[in-house]
Amino acid sequence: MITVELLWLAAGAVVAGIISGILGGLFGIGGGAIIVPVLFEAFSLLGVSEAVRMQLCIGTSLAIIVPIAIRSYRQHKAQGAVLSDVLRLWMIPSVIGVAVGAALAALAPPETFKIAFVLIAVVIAAKLLFGGDRWVLARELPGTGAMNGFGFVIGLGSSLMGIAGGALAVMVLTLYGKPIRSAVATGAGVGVPITIAGTIGYILAGLPHQAALPPLSIGFVSIPGVVLIAPLSSWVAPFGARLAHKLQQRTLEIAFSCYLLLAASRFIASMLS
């Protein structure tokens, strides 16, 4: 039975690796919104304790996304679309936000992370489905204090949801009238420090819970999950980044929004059951 379950895990990991890599390059997201729900179902099937399952999904997702974020950022940087000033402003506060999220992973109940995933997923889906160019607060970015605050929120939200932060960064930048290509490229860039810091944070946060975690886990990071998904995701990420500069994205935005809403519904159902 375990062999069959592991085969299903491997098959799901391959699909998730390909999809998350393409989405990581295309939307400037690391694919965590895809990876976390897939891992949640896989770890549920393998009997991982509810008390640590969501944290394990998020930590593993962040570790998987590290190479995706790096390759996606390099590809976008080569296109010259990255807003370097914004990236520098967000670097430190986003890492602080990640650290707070990792600390919560060691202390907070799993429902905290499900609620965070649902709220962030619904906001992102609503922006993609209904916002478009109509959701604009101003045509210029706010001051340094507000930008630091945005950076912190992006880091915190990312570490609670298991994403690289690109989707949140894109939302902020487009709200202030920045072109979608520059927003996507900058979102890819902010994902690099977020995923690296998040991986380290979730490893440390999970060490006191090691006895409750499945074999071959280091803190809240599953090594089999990383090994199965990360290489495929990293390999296909540049293809998605190239597509981002060539294709109309509306159909993909709608499809991704529907997936987010479906995943959010699954977590709501798990909290109510």
Side-chain angles (χ1 to χ4, degrees), residues 21-74:
I22 292 174
L23 287 175
L26 186 58
F27 290 110
I29 63 173
I34 300 289
I35 296 170
V36 169
V38 170
L39 289 177
F40 185 81
E41 299 301 336
F43 290 144
S44 299
L45 187 64
L46 294 173
V48 176
S49 170
E50 175 74 19
V52 296
R53 189 186 308 156
M54 195 65 185
Q55 295 93 315
L56 182 64
C57 294
I58 293 171
T60 304
S61 173
L62 289 167
I64 289 167
I65 294 168
V66 170
I68 307 172
I70 292 172
R71 294 198 68 183
S72 179
Y73 169 61
R74 286 178 176 173

Side-chain angles (χ1 to χ4, degrees), residues 93-115:
S94 67
V95 171
I96 294 173
V98 169
V100 173
L104 288 173
L107 304 171
E111 287 75 16
T112 302
F113 304 92
K114 293 179 183 179
I115 292 170

Side-chain angles (χ1 to χ4, degrees), residues 123-221:
V123 171
I124 293 172
K127 174 63 167 66
L128 290 172
L129 285 173
F130 309 115
D133 296 332
R134 297 185 298 276
W135 284 20
V136 177
L137 296 177
R139 291 296 173 183
E140 297 292 335
L141 290 171
T144 301
M147 289 298 287
N148 285 336
F150 280 131
F152 174 82
V153 171
I154 290 169
L156 176 61
S158 300
S159 65
L160 292 177
M161 189 179 180
I163 61 177
L168 297 175
V170 168
M171 185 184 305
V172 170
L173 293 173
T174 53
L175 283 174
Y176 286 93
K178 294 301 176 184
I180 186 63
R181 298 289 186 260
S182 296
V184 168
T186 308
V190 78
V192 176
I194 283 175
T195 53
I196 293 173
T199 300
I200 295 170
Y202 270 77
I203 287 174
L204 295 176
L207 292 179
H209 305 273
Q210 197 71 42
L213 294 167
L216 301 178
S217 296
I218 303 177
F220 288 134
V221 174

Side-chain angles (χ1 to χ4, degrees), residues 81-118:
V82 177
L83 301 174
S84 299
D85 291 345
V86 173
L87 201 54
R88 282 193 293 269
L89 272 176
W90 279 349
M91 191 77 66
I92 293 176
S94 67
V95 171
I96 294 173
V98 169
V100 173
L104 288 173
L107 304 171
E111 287 75 16
T112 302
F113 304 92
K114 293 179 183 179
I115 292 170
F117 189 102
V118 169

Side-chain angles (χ1 to χ4, degrees), residues 15-26:
V15 174
I18 294 171
I19 295 174
S20 63
I22 292 174
L23 287 175
L26 186 58

